[in-house]
Amino acid sequence: MRKFFSTLVLIGAVGLLGIGRAMAGEVDMLVNKLVEKGILTPTEAQILLHETQAEVAKQNTKGENTALPTWIQTMKLKGDFRLRYQYDHAKATKDEQHRARVRLRLGVESNINEKVLVGVGLATGTTDVTNKDAARSTNQTLGDSFSKKGIALDYAFVQYSPATWAALVAGKFKNPLWEPGDMIWDTDINPEGAGAQFNYGLGSKASLFMNTGVFVLDESSSSGKNDDPMMYVLQPGVTYQLSDDISIKGAFSYYNCANVKGTALDGDTNTNSQTAGSVLENSYRWITPAVEVSVNDPLGFLGEDFPVKLPYLGFFAEYVSNTALDDNESGQMIGLKFGDAKVDGWRKWQFKYSYARLENDAVLDILPDSDRYGGKTGIRGHEGILEFGLGKNVTLALDYYYAQALAKKSSQQPAHVFQADFNFKF
């Protein structure tokens, strides 16, 4: 009876003050008074505080706490931290590096109403646009006499979803385009401008999707002219469930890079064809067909007694051709992955291998994976990565690159890169 009375007192206090105003200190003071009056024992007080806190958290999760604005109730905080050892070596030379590196990314998203989402993210990195890795790396190398490390705006966007199958986004945002590998896009690049994603189901086995983007590459220095370097992308695609265990996803992308000929873009690696003044010599308008096939339990046909179990097997391929050039500079990537479809727990694992070949003017050299020969075009190379789950939200990844320039007489030697990553998600 005594505990019942004290519970009513607490509920009344929380209701009068409002959940948002009934701060932890005020509730503690009230409970302490009940202990002083002999209504509660210290043990009962601790139990009651714990139950009250749990109930408030439950209400916040369900959105039942009307004293808090909806955008606060729906706010999600997420991030990840990566600790990396990296080894770089150029073959046939004595140049090599051993580096300790860190990456921290922290983001928050909130549904300000049922159709509008706002997101902001910070990440380690640099804002020096003369650095070729400014857009495509979030690494910070340890050293420099314990110097402070830079934090930059990684993304800031607003997303409007008029229907369950459509989403429009603007600002600086995660890449809305689908690509089975990283031949064209480094995964750390967050484009700027506007984009849209549409995904419409066709029964239980198939769905159509359309991804689009209008990306701002740079701002023209000429006033009064509509000549800003821009990228326009259209990517229709389809996913189809061939059977219970086999699915296929394919897309055909069209890129048009307007007003880039005769300009010098930040973050370039000087492997696109250039004229005097380090400006681009060519136009860039490329097409990219891509496909990925996924198979669950690929060894299941061998029977349950077969000693080797393989949960997942995938194949992917991608091709690119710059149709703005007479000789159609091109590139291709092929690869496979097997193990678990997703590494999200202890002993989950996946191995992935890919081979990429990219001619000098197939795509803009501000885009490819910065770890594959420094993000250059005019290269060919291999990558193998083994990822292993050490626990919930903790993984170890071992990544090896071997790449070299396509030009046989190039002064640039083949390069080896090895990375050991401990990843922690929160």
Side-chain angles (χ1 to χ4, degrees), residues 239-370:
T239 60
Y240 188 77
Q241 194 74 31
L242 296 175
S243 67
D244 291 342
D245 294 321
I246 303 175
S247 63
I248 184 170
K249 183 174 184 178
F252 184 91
S253 307
Y254 171 76
Y255 290 75
N256 181 22
C257 300
N259 305 317
V260 297
K261 184 177 180 179
T263 64
L265 296 177
D266 295 322
D268 72 301
T269 56
N270 299 314
T271 46
N272 287 154
S273 298
Q274 298 180 346
T275 60
S278 298
V279 299
L280 292 172
E281 180 181 349
N282 298 316
S283 298
Y284 292 83
R285 185 176 60 250
W286 66 82
I287 57 173
T288 308
V291 65
E292 182 171 12
V293 178
S294 300
V295 183
N296 295 320
D297 192 21
L299 303 180
F301 69 95
L302 296 175
E304 296 182 358
D305 296 332
F306 190 70
V308 178
K309 305 297 181 183
L310 190 64
Y312 171 82
L313 174 65
F315 301 93
F316 58 92
E318 187 172 19
Y319 175 79
V320 61
S321 176
N322 184 2
T323 60
L325 302 179
D326 293 335
D327 55 358
N328 287 0
E329 293 269 295
S330 64
Q332 51 275 328
M333 171 178 275
I334 57 172
L336 62 86
K337 49 189 175 180
F338 57 86
D340 291 287
K342 187 176 181 180
V343 180
D344 56 3
W346 166 243
R347 297 183 66 180
K348 295 290 187 69
W349 66 278
Q350 185 187 96
F351 178 79
K352 180 179 179 181
Y353 165 80
S354 63
Y355 169 81
R357 183 182 185 278
L358 200 58
E359 296 180 345
N360 287 75
D361 292 303
V363 300
L364 291 175
D365 64 3
I366 65 172
L367 299 177
D369 181 6
S370 62

Side-chain angles (χ1 to χ4, degrees), residues 53-70:
Q53 292 167 0
E55 182 62 26
V56 171
K58 181 179 178 181
Q59 291 177 8
N60 288 341
T61 302
K62 292 182 177 181
E64 297 174 352
N65 187 352
T66 57
L68 292 176
T70 301

Side-chain angles (χ1 to χ4, degrees), residues 21-92:
R21 295 175 53 204
M23 306 304 291
E26 296 171 331
V27 175
D28 288 346
M29 289 176 60
L30 180 58
V31 171
N32 288 336
K33 286 294 183 182
L34 294 174
V35 173
E36 291 177 5
K37 297 295 184 180
I39 299 174
L40 292 177
T41 66
T43 301
E44 289 173 336
Q46 291 299 320
I47 294 174
L48 187 57
L49 278 174
H50 177 75
E51 292 176 348
T52 303
Q53 292 167 0
E55 182 62 26
V56 171
K58 181 179 178 181
Q59 291 177 8
N60 288 341
T61 302
K62 292 182 177 181
E64 297 174 352
N65 187 352
T66 57
L68 292 176
T70 301
W71 66 271
I72 293 181
Q73 296 181 39
T74 61
M75 185 177 290
K76 296 180 180 179
L77 182 66
K78 59 182 180 179
D80 65 87
F81 172 73
R82 182 177 70 196
L83 183 63
R84 166 177 288 179
Y85 161 74
Q86 181 167 324
Y87 170 78
D88 298 288
H89 176 61
K91 191 176 180 181

